[in-house]
Amino acid sequence: MEKSPEQKALEQQQAGRMTLSYRIGWRMFRLFYTVYFRWRVSGAEKVPQTGPVIMASKHASYLDPPLVGSAMKRMLNYMARETLFRFPVVGRILRSWNAVPLDRDRGSAAGLRVILDRLNQGDAILLFPEGTRTRDGKLQPAQSGVGLIVLKSNAPVVPVRIFGTYEAYGRHMKFPLPKRVTVKFGDPLNFDHYREEAKNCSKARLKEIYQEVADQVMAAIAKIEP
């Protein structure tokens, strides 16, 4: 049975509300970034407060995921390694935060389905187009996977660029340094024209579209200046 527009609107509104454990973590991280990193946030008002949205961010540090989520006023769905869910306390916290379990050994198909389900429910989800943390602090090429997710959903994409986390806690460092970090949100991107083309194009063209969308997302991230 198809849901009414009123039911869909209510679900999307509820999707953005923080659970109690998420709000506690959100407040703790905001305090941590304020005191230790003297953080700055710009453009948070550009993030839609209801409905599905893909947050596409630069990735330079383990600090990045909670930094993006702490700067937003709605609940954000993160991705976490499936093995972390096996620890009782950690697993309970991750589930209460609606984290998406990813099993890299078995492939990404199951994780993709969960991500699309979350977006269809009106959730916000964080993706890193580069796929992994940068090794030199510079932006890396986008992986086509983010383009696939964008096209298979109806969600707008909000580009996010983070400054300072590589210097504060890059992958070459053992402990975070108290350097200033900044998170900036760009204007939402709409890819409906690509979604329409993808409905009837060849498989070869579809692969090209995935990469084109990914490249455009990465270009939007690169345009955000300090």
Side-chain angles (χ1 to χ4, degrees), residues 102-115:
L102 291 182
D103 188 341
R104 295 182 179 180
D105 295 331
R106 297 182 180 179
S108 58
L112 174 61
R113 286 195 296 271
V114 175
I115 291 171

Side-chain angles (χ1 to χ4, degrees), residues 5-17:
E6 292 77 12
Q7 288 176 313
K8 291 181 180 179
L10 179 60
E11 287 183 355
Q12 291 185 354
Q13 184 177 11
Q14 292 175 337
R17 293 177 180 172

Side-chain angles (χ1 to χ4, degrees), residues 40-53:
R40 291 176 178 172
V41 179
S42 175
E45 71 281 356
K46 298 177 181 179
V47 180
Q49 294 305 298
T50 60
V53 60

Side-chain angles (χ1 to χ4, degrees), residues 48-73:
Q49 294 305 298
T50 60
V53 60
I54 295 171
M55 309 301 299
S57 174
K58 174 188 176 181
H59 197 17
S61 168
Y62 283 134
L63 297 172
D64 299 339
L67 178 60
V68 176
S70 298
M72 294 171 54
K73 301 297 185 180

